[in-house]
Amino acid sequence: MLSLQIVVIGGGAAGFFGAIACAEANPQAQVTLIEASRQPLAKVLISGGGRCNVTHACFEPKILVQNYPRGGKALLGAFTRFQPLDTIAWFTEHGVNIKTEADGRMFPITDRAETIAECLIKATFDAKIELCIGTPVTAVTRKNAGFEILLKSGETKECDCLLLATGSSLAGYKIARELGHDIQPPVPSLFTFNIADPQLRELAGISVNSVNLRLPGTGKTPFQQTGPLLITHWGVSGPAVLKLSAWGARILHENRYQHKLLINWLPDLSQEEVRQKLLTVKAEWGQKAIALHRGVDLPHRLWQYLINRTHIPTEERWATISNKTLNQLVLEISQGEYLITGKGAFKEEFVTCGGVNLKEVNFKTMESKIVPGLHFAGEILDIDGVTGGFNFQSAWTTAYLAGQSMTKSTEDN
């Protein structure tokens, strides 16, 4: 009896992992992995600053899904089947030890993304998967109970089960659409904010350990994030900004990246607590210059910038500040208004929200509800996570489930 043919299109993290999961579970399956470019696993090699943030040390699915602006609900069941603990175990079994950093991010102990890429490539060869590099696919058509894949070279391949793991590639979306799937419009996620304020940009390099960022006008519960912020030559960056950009990706795109941003520079204090701290400084240091005696825990140059935004002269003394001006300073610290004028690039991550409509996919098997035998994994799906290893984890999970499902499909036949 002829063994069934499995084809995986896409040579990124999800494609490799899905192909390996299928081939390891059923060595009799003939698995072919097709990648358009001549450099497989390119995103893996540059991720995490070249270290590859493999996953995140969050082992409770209900908490884990809270890190996905889109797809969290669908992933809940999937994470009960394959989660970060399983990812760690898989790489350990394949000779790669994973370490956890203080913020929960997990990396290969070598701190080299090549370690992950080399592991996946070795597992591919060990599992006798046929690897076709530099082989673009131009079309996929349904044929009998399987699929016919047309390559750019003119050659065709036939298979019984197909896994699309093409990431945010427009070519991958086109194939899925032509096979009958709805594609949620892809837009960027995980980016920095451009702010057209020359005086703020002069503070480039200053970081604040905890700020609260809010996008007003985004519903009854406006999108907001609290965390570290870095002032840059173009505006603001840092974990709080990146997470907010992910949650607000669609609204910001719709507004052409022009949106009001509220910054609370001291989120651990209420407005009244900030006011009381400033009143204490006023009472104790009345004859001192406001610019030199800040009374709150903020970098000195940032404090001077906030005073300037409140139109307080540099030489003004605490004793002479009016209650009205003091209240304005409290508001500037607690909910200062800034204008996002564009998005910057976050070079360590290339994440897109949008993709195959999740309602059309069975998340127990990652098989299409529309086209039997068609599976999806990774970023081609309308799933995206915040920075910290979450996007890789959704890739590993969906790919593993797809690989296992295709194996069962071969067994059924």
Side-chain angles (χ1 to χ4, degrees), residues 136-171:
V137 172
T138 57
V140 175
T141 53
R142 195 86 170 95
K143 186 175 181 181
N144 300 324
F147 304 88
E148 183 177 80
I149 298 155
L150 176 62
L151 306 180
K152 190 176 181 181
S153 64
E155 181 188 354
T156 61
K157 286 184 177 290
E158 293 187 359
C159 63
D160 302 285
C161 285
L162 174 65
L163 172 59
L164 284 181
T166 48
S168 55
S169 157
L170 295 179

Side-chain angles (χ1 to χ4, degrees), residues 109-142:
I109 203 164
T110 60
D111 276 330
R112 293 175 64 251
E114 290 88 350
T115 302
I116 299 300
E118 289 162 4
C119 170
L120 293 172
I121 290 170
K122 181 179 184 300
T124 299
F125 283 109
D126 289 347
K128 296 182 172 55
I129 294 167
E130 180 185 358
L131 191 55
C132 302
I133 303 299
T135 310
V137 172
T138 57
V140 175
T141 53
R142 195 86 170 95

Side-chain angles (χ1 to χ4, degrees), residues 167-184:
S168 55
S169 157
L170 295 179
Y173 294 144
K174 180 174 179 287
I175 292 170
R177 189 181 291 111
E178 289 175 347
L179 287 170
H181 277 275
D182 173 50
I183 304 298
Q184 300 295 305

Side-chain angles (χ1 to χ4, degrees), residues 214-227:
R214 186 154 49 101
L215 295 175
T218 53
K220 290 183 179 179
T221 307
F223 293 127
Q224 61 179 316
Q225 287 290 328
T226 299

